[in-house]
């Protein structure tokens, strides 16, 4: 029974991955919008883009990690 | 443990997504002492060999018109060199070999881990935590050695209103100490997640009807994983550079 | 730095050895393997660092610098050659212009010579033609004079004959005067 509750919790934690997907999409989309307005400045900002994506994705990875911990370590 | 029991009970559909990460001694035996050669150490050694093959053997001809291997080596060199120079400035160039070491190890380990039946060293928190801690300690020690107490100015945001500064200092301090955590878990989590998802899809392939979809999904995920393998190495390196910049020029 | 993490790994290992038997579901959380991984990772990183900083990076940096040097040299050489080509073109154009001027001069000379020759020839031809015309006029005048003489003689003869035929005697001198008067008349 305890394990079943942990599985439910893992499923709930997996929602966080979707939220991270929204965040990453936001970053990439806004970058593209900005890049199309000012293409000459876009190349210099790709590093910033990746850093932003990395930060957004890290939080999703945390959610994934919580799910894994609930699945396998509880 | 409950999940493993479940998987065994269902018979046809068996998921062992995490089995690929088990560390086994290379030459039999059960105990893993600190010196035992394991599959993890084997694939680390292969990463070293890959780096030697690419950077040392690839450039051994010193050709003015580069061969394929040499141009990849030059590309990697130029890529990281430019990154360090752009982000850390001219005085950060002397830490270039250190950054290059991290990048080459992570990128080689990631790509080697994508080979079927291989072991991905960077999917283990032990490995990525050491990498992230190495960066964290380097940055902290370097920051204090180079700047003395002025390094603490990193937490005292002088451009903010005075009343806000203590609050911001606490937030900055917390974010500073969360850095190695997110730095390491991002890498390991991304790599582990991709491999585990591929294994889950592979588990579905046991059902005949679903197997074509499963194979397609594995192919798509594999493509994504190739991308992730590089992007995560890139992100790890670029964040290392950003943190190094904080140590070299702590003023905001 | 390395020793610090290493020590940390050791203490983690001691703590984890007790819990190792429980075999967690996630191999990443099996702390018994941590010292092993950390040890080998540090070995790996040190090896990579030494290889990169001692051999690979200086070599690749050298190659890139050498290539930049070569390219700079080649560009300079190309610039030289281009300057030479521009010089050569200027010289060629100069020579071409000179040759054209020379050719024009020669042509003008030739034209002047020819013109002079032509003028001479025309003058000479004119003189010859004038001489010929004068000669011809003289000849014509002679011929005319002769013709007049002949006519007078014929007229005289004819008049004598006519007078004789009509039964008179013709005084040759009188007839001749009369004819001459008539012809003049």
């Amino acid at each position: 029974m305890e394990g079943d509750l942990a599985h439910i919790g893992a499923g709930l934690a997996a929602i966080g991955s979707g939220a991270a997907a929204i965040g990453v999409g936001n970053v990439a989309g806004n970058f593209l919008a900005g890049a199309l307005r000012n293409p000459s400045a876009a190349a210099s900002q790709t590093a910033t883009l990746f850093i932003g994506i990395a930060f957004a994705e890290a939080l999703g990875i945390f959610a994934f990690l919580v799910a894994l911990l609930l699945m396998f370590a509880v | 443990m409950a999940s493993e029991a479940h998987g065994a009970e269902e018979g046809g559909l068996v998921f062992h997504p995490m089995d690929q990460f088990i560390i086994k001694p290379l030459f039999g035996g059960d105990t893993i002492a600190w010196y035992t050669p394991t599959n993890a150490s084997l694939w680390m050694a292969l990463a070293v060999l890959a780096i030697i093959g690419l950077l040392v053997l690839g450039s051994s001809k010193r050709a003015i018109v580069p061969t394929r291997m040499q141009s990849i080596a030059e590309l990697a060199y130029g890529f990281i060199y430019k990154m360090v120079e752009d982000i850390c400035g001219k005085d950060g160039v002397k830490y270039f070999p250190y950054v290059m070491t991290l990048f080459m190890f992570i990128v080689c380990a990631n790509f080697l881990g994508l080979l079927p039946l291989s072991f991905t060293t960077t999917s283990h928190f032990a490995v990525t935590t050491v990498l992230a801690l190495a960066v964290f300690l380097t940055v902290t020690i370097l920051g204090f050695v180079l700047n003395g107490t002025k390094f603490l100015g990193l937490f005292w945001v002088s451009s903010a209103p005075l009343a806000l500064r203590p609050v911001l200092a606490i937030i900055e301090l917390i974010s500073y100490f969360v850095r190695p955590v997110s730095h390491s878990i991002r890498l390991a989590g991304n790599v582990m997640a991709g491999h585990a998802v591929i294994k889950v899809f592979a588990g579905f392939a046991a059902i005949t009807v679903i197997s074509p979809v499963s194979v397609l999904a594995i192919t798509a995920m594999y493509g994504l994983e190739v991308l992730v393998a590089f992007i995560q190495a890139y992100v790890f390196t670029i964040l290392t550079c950003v943190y190094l910049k904080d140590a070299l020029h702590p003023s905001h | 730095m390395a020793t610090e993490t290493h020590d940390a790994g050791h203490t983690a290992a001691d703590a984890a050895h007790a819990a190792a038997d429980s075999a967690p579901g996630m191999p990443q959380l099996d702390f018994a393997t941590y010292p092993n991984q950390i040890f080998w990772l540090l070995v790996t990183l040190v090896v990579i660092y030494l290889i990169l900083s001692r051999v690979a990076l200086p070599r690749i940096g050298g190659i890139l610098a050498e290539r930049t040097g070569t390219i700079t040299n080649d560009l300079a050489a190309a610039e030289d050659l281009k300057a030479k080509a521009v010089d050569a073109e200027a010289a060629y154009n100069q020579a071409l212009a000179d040759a054209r001027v020379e050719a024009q001069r020669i042509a003008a000379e030739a034209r002047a010579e020819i013109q002079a020759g032509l003028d001479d020839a025309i003058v000479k031809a004119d003189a010859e033609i004038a001489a010929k015309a004068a000669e011809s006029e003289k000849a014509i005048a002679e011929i005319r004079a002769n013709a007049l003489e002949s006519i007078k003689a014929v007229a005289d003869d004819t008049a004598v004959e006519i007078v004789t035929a009509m039964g008179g005697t013709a005084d040759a001198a009188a007839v001749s005067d009369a004819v001459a008067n008539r012809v003049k008349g």
Side-chain angles (χ1 to χ4, degrees):
Chain A
M1 198 57 209
E2 187 194 337
D4 291 343
L5 280 177
H7 279 83
I8 293 171
L12 288 176
I15 296 172
S17 307
I22 295 173
V24 172
N26 251 329
V27 174
N30 282 329
F31 175 79
L32 191 60
L36 288 177
R37 277 180 201 206
N38 189 1
S40 56
S44 62
Q45 296 305 317
T46 42
T48 324
L49 167 74
F50 280 112
I51 292 174
I53 285 181
F55 278 129
E57 197 182 7
L59 302 175
I61 291 293
F62 286 155
F64 168 74
L65 195 72
V66 169
L68 274 184
L69 288 174
L70 287 171
M71 284 284 287
F72 294 108
V74 174
Chain B
M1 281 145 276
S3 62
E4 279 178 2
H6 263 298
E9 278 166 21
E10 280 167 25
L13 212 56
V14 187
F15 294 115
H16 291 302
M18 307 312 276
D19 281 8
Q20 58 181 325
F21 303 122
I22 293 174
I23 293 178
K24 295 187 266 311
L26 213 50
F27 305 110
D30 288 327
T31 52
I32 298 176
W34 61 271
Y35 54 84
T36 319
T38 59
N39 49 358
S41 31
L42 169 69
W43 285 95
M44 285 179 195
L46 287 177
V48 174
L49 286 183
I51 292 169
I52 292 177
L54 180 64
L55 293 186
V56 177
L57 298 184
S59 66
S60 59
K61 281 188 209 150
R62 295 167 177 273
I64 288 297
V65 178
T67 56
R68 268 178 293 183
M69 283 297 252
Q70 191 183 323
S71 63
I72 293 174
E74 284 168 11
L75 218 60
Y77 181 99
F79 181 62
I80 303 299
Y81 191 89
K82 194 171 171 298
M83 191 194 290
V84 174
E85 201 178 29
D86 283 355
I87 296 176
C88 304
K90 286 277 179 203
D91 46 349
V93 166
K94 58 175 171 288
Y95 307 106
F96 164 61
Y98 178 69
V99 179
M100 187 76 177
T101 303
L102 292 175
F103 175 76
M104 288 312 294
F105 173 71
I106 294 171
V107 85
C108 284
N110 281 353
F111 277 127
L112 284 174
L114 281 175
L115 295 175
L117 299 177
S118 70
F119 177 86
T120 320
T121 48
T122 40
S123 68
H124 274 263
F125 294 128
V127 171
T128 57
T129 307
V130 169
L131 293 172
L133 272 180
V135 172
F136 180 76
L137 290 175
T138 311
V139 167
T140 311
I141 294 170
L142 208 62
F144 279 113
V145 168
L146 290 181
N147 306 296
T149 50
K150 263 192 274 177
F151 184 59
L152 293 173
L154 190 63
F155 307 112
W156 197 251
V157 187
S158 50
S159 57
L162 192 59
L164 272 179
R165 282 183 208 174
V167 184
L168 281 178
I170 292 168
I171 293 174
E172 289 278 333
L173 203 64
I174 291 171
S175 83
Y176 187 79
F177 281 101
V178 168
R179 274 177 185 183
V181 178
S182 69
H183 208 183
S184 60
I185 287 181
R186 179 184 304 116
L187 176 59
N190 265 298
V191 175
M192 182 185 17
H195 284 68
V197 167
I198 286 180
K199 263 289 187 318
V200 168
F201 281 136
F204 279 118
I207 303 170
T208 322
V209 186
I210 308 179
S211 59
V213 183
S214 169
V215 169
L216 272 180
I218 290 174
T219 314
M221 276 308 293
Y222 196 91
L224 185 68
E225 279 310 289
V226 172
L227 197 68
V228 164
F230 180 76
I231 295 262
Q232 287 308 316
Y234 174 65
V235 162
F236 193 98
T237 318
I238 207 167
L239 285 178
T240 303
C241 290
V242 170
Y243 298 161
L244 260 181
K245 186 197 73 182
D246 283 349
L248 297 174
H249 318 283
S251 53
H252 267 273
Chain C
M1 188 182 73
T3 51
E4 275 178 39
T5 36
H6 201 90
D7 287 345
H10 260 303
T11 50
D14 295 336
H17 264 306
D21 299 333
S22 61
M26 258 175 91
Q28 278 87 350
L29 298 180
D30 184 0
F31 293 105
T33 64
Y34 271 36
N36 178 281
Q37 290 191 61
I38 292 168
F39 168 69
W40 286 109
L41 175 66
L42 290 177
V43 170
T44 307
L45 287 182
V46 168
V47 169
I48 295 175
Y49 182 79
L50 289 180
I51 291 171
L52 288 188
S53 60
R54 294 287 154 82
V55 184
L57 296 185
R59 189 190 283 173
I60 296 175
I63 292 171
L64 290 179
E66 199 179 326
R67 178 169 314 141
T68 320
T70 311
I71 289 172
T72 315
N73 283 344
D74 283 0
L75 282 180
E79 201 67 30
D80 273 3
L81 288 178
K82 197 179 168 191
K84 272 184 197 162
V86 169
D87 285 354
E89 197 190 350
Y92 168 77
N93 281 339
Q94 185 61 42
L96 200 64
D98 285 354
R100 195 168 287 143
V101 168
E102 182 75 11
Q104 272 169 359
R105 194 181 59 76
I106 289 172
E109 262 174 26
R111 198 175 295 131
E113 249 170 47
I114 289 167
Q115 192 63 47
L118 206 60
D119 287 349
D120 279 357
I122 286 171
V123 166
K124 209 185 273 174
D126 279 350
E128 270 172 23
I129 287 166
K132 284 254 170 75
E135 242 169 57
S136 303
E137 258 169 39
K138 210 159 86 185
I140 288 167
E142 261 173 32
I143 288 167
R144 188 178 287 154
N146 285 348
L148 278 178
E149 287 293 312
S150 310
I151 285 170
K152 194 168 174 277
V154 169
D156 283 354
D157 285 352
T158 310
V160 170
E161 285 299 324
I162 289 169
V163 171
T164 313
M166 290 175 72
T169 45
D171 181 9
V175 171
S176 171
D177 282 344
V179 169
N181 282 339
R182 276 288 173 189
V183 169
K184 271 182 195 163

